[in-house]
DNA sequence: CGAAAATTACGTGTTACCACGTATTTCATA
DNA sequence: TATGAAATACGTGGTAACACGTAATTTTCG
């Protein structure tokens, strides 16, 4: 790893954030090659410049930060990708392993943390915010429960989250209404849900993001 | 209204956004008196400087933008308050009337819109983003239904949204279990909810923000 | 192939939710 | 004070959700 200033491109669909980040990096003397306001622009910037680091928002029009990371991996671009987002996205932790993600920071973090992150990543060391790590712990627990579900059970859980009744689910899956009930029962047992009347519906609603 | 450049203070707890907004206003030649990173700082800045305009994030530590607006009104500070936020807060439209709010913009909006907003507000004309207005339309409809609910019905609706069963609600309110059921029935009728089994729970969950 | 897991299905019983109706009491206010 | 709205409460009947158990069939995989 050379000791020259790393080249960087950034992308964010929030003009204010983009400006803030851009100004900050320039002031700090980083080698900012360019910035994009959506996923397409970001992707083009990356394949044209092959920067050392790309700091990308997760949610952007046309292409998300994750999609960009995926494509970059598939075409063997060595750009280190740092995701930046407002939300503590729980699903992220797994994908971070699969893709060549090198960092994940929250927008509300201090500017110094960004500088810190860039330096760390430049040395080839992944950087994840502390708060993210906490989340990962929690999510891992919950996901362990989820993983014990069979495919059918997951499918039914999804449908429950979509406000379907047992009968609707049954006819949709061409199985008996009783079978659906049995699955429900098994799901409740596996997920250690309190045995209240609508507890499964409530659970499904609260965790419906994880069922996608 | 004088034609001099309006004095402005800004506050946001996201360093990046604050920097972006700050840099932008300075570049555009606005008279930026100061900036704060939380509600307290913002409030102090306002009462000390009594700026023409205060651009505040809604969600901030110690004091929200709305609380600041409230306090400012109570002590007759004439600063025109513009709220800025990432989320399309549905509850906002009502409060905008009560307080001396002069604007509401979304962070993802173009920088030009902010400039536009400041100019409009300087002339004493409230500025609300188009997207907000759309939302207000929708929310007004829904709220009309909500307003038809009696106090007791609202209370029960809140408890339903908190996953309480009829019996729990009954014992908590010291009323009969049957009464709760009657209320439920009335609520369903008033809100035009489809007569499915857990439809009321689902409705309450989906609208639980509005029940606060 | 054989064992384990998954899927399918049913029985029985309890509780919760919902509709529709009736009826009493309380309370604000025209 | 009198009218009406709201809150309270109960009856009846139907559907849905859930617990717990049994069991046949299919899939999966060592």
């Amino acid at each position: 790893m050379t000791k020259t200033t790393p080249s960087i491109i950034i992308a964010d669909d929030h003009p204010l954030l983009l400006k803030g980040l851009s100004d900050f990096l320039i002031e700090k003397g980083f080698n900012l090659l360019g910035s994009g306001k959506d996923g397409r622009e970001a992707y083009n910037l990356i394949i044209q410049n092959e920067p050392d680091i790309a700091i990308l928002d997760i949610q952007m029009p046309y292409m998300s930060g994750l999609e960009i990371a995926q494509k970059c991996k598939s075409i063997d671009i060595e750009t280190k990708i740092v995701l930046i987002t407002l939300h503590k996205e729980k699903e992220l932790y797994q994908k971070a392993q699969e893709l060549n993600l090198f960092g994940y920071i929250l927008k509300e973090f201090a500017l110094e943390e960004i500088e810190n992150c860039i330096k760390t990543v430049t040395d080839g060391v992944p950087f994840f915010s502390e708060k993210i790590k906490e989340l990962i712990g929690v999510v891992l627990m919950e996901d362990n429960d989820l993983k014990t579900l069979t495919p059918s059970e997951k499918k039914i859980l999804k449908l429950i989250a979509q406000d379907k009744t047992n009968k609707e689910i049954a006819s949709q899956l061409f199985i008996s209404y009783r079978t659906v009930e049995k699955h429900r029962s098994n799901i409740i047992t596996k997920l250690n849900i309190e045995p209240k009347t609508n507890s499964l519906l409530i659970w499904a609603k609260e965790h419906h993001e994880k069922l996608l």
Side-chain angles (χ1 to χ4, degrees), chain A:
Chain A
M1 191 64 54
T2 61
K3 256 297 179 190
T4 60
T5 316
S7 56
I8 300 177
I9 75 106
I10 61 179
D12 200 306
D13 61 332
H14 291 61
L16 278 176
L17 272 166
L18 187 61
K19 177 166 181 53
L21 186 55
S22 166
D23 285 1
F24 173 74
L25 293 176
I26 290 170
E27 283 170 20
K28 286 291 177 179
F30 286 107
N31 181 21
L32 184 61
L33 297 180
S35 64
K37 68 176 187 299
D38 58 49
R40 272 210 294 253
E41 289 185 10
Y43 184 64
N44 290 333
L45 281 170
I46 292 174
I47 58 176
Q48 280 161 23
N49 300 291
E50 289 210 26
D52 295 317
I53 299 174
I55 302 177
L56 309 175
D57 190 13
I58 291 190
Q59 292 167 283
M60 286 188 291
Y62 303 124
M63 215 184 293
S64 77
L66 282 173
E67 287 175 292
I68 293 172
Q70 236 149 2
K71 283 213 176 184
C72 284
K73 190 181 187 186
S74 71
I75 60 177
D76 286 325
I77 283 183
E78 289 191 351
T79 294
K80 299 184 182 73
I81 291 178
V82 173
L83 293 181
I84 183 168
T85 183
L86 281 157
H87 318 290
K88 315 182 213 300
E89 317 253 343
K90 296 186 179 178
E91 309 82 25
L92 193 68
Y93 82 99
Q94 12 177 338
K95 293 175 183 162
Q97 322 304 72
E98 305 163 14
L99 309 170
N100 50 342
L101 294 182
F102 261 81
Y104 184 21
I105 46 187
L106 295 168
K107 280 176 184 168
E108 65 250 37
F109 279 1
L111 294 171
E112 297 77 40
E113 192 134 2
I114 293 170
E115 200 178 351
N116 206 342
C117 174
I118 293 174
K119 283 180 182 156
T120 308
V121 170
T122 303
D123 295 335
V125 180
F127 179 98
F128 286 85
S129 302
E130 284 307 316
K131 285 183 187 171
I132 300 295
K133 289 180 189 164
E134 293 171 24
L135 266 180
I136 290 176
V138 177
V139 175
L140 274 176
M141 292 257 297
E142 288 179 349
D143 272 19
N144 280 339
D145 282 344
L146 256 189
K147 287 216 180 74
T148 66
L149 296 183
T150 66
S152 295
E153 286 164 351
K154 278 188 210 160
K155 199 183 300 175
I156 285 172
L157 195 49
K158 282 180 213 169
L159 292 171
I160 291 172
Q162 290 163 25
D163 305 339
K164 311 282 187 184
T165 66
N166 282 350
K167 283 187 181 170
E168 287 171 335
I169 294 172
S171 68
Q172 187 168 338
L173 299 182
F174 302 106
I175 58 179
S176 159
Y177 144 73
R178 314 306 305 284
T179 307
V180 179
E181 285 200 329
K182 180 57 176 163
H183 281 307
R184 277 187 103 114
S185 192
N186 292 340
I187 292 169
I188 289 171
T189 303
K190 285 188 181 177
L191 296 181
N192 293 316
I193 297 176
E194 2 127 53
K196 271 175 61 178
T197 298
N198 286 311
S199 48
L200 184 53
L201 173 61
I202 292 165
W203 192 97
K205 286 249 161 223
E206 284 172 355
H207 299 80
H208 97 281
E209 337 83 35
K210 281 205 283 294
L211 301 175
L212 310 177

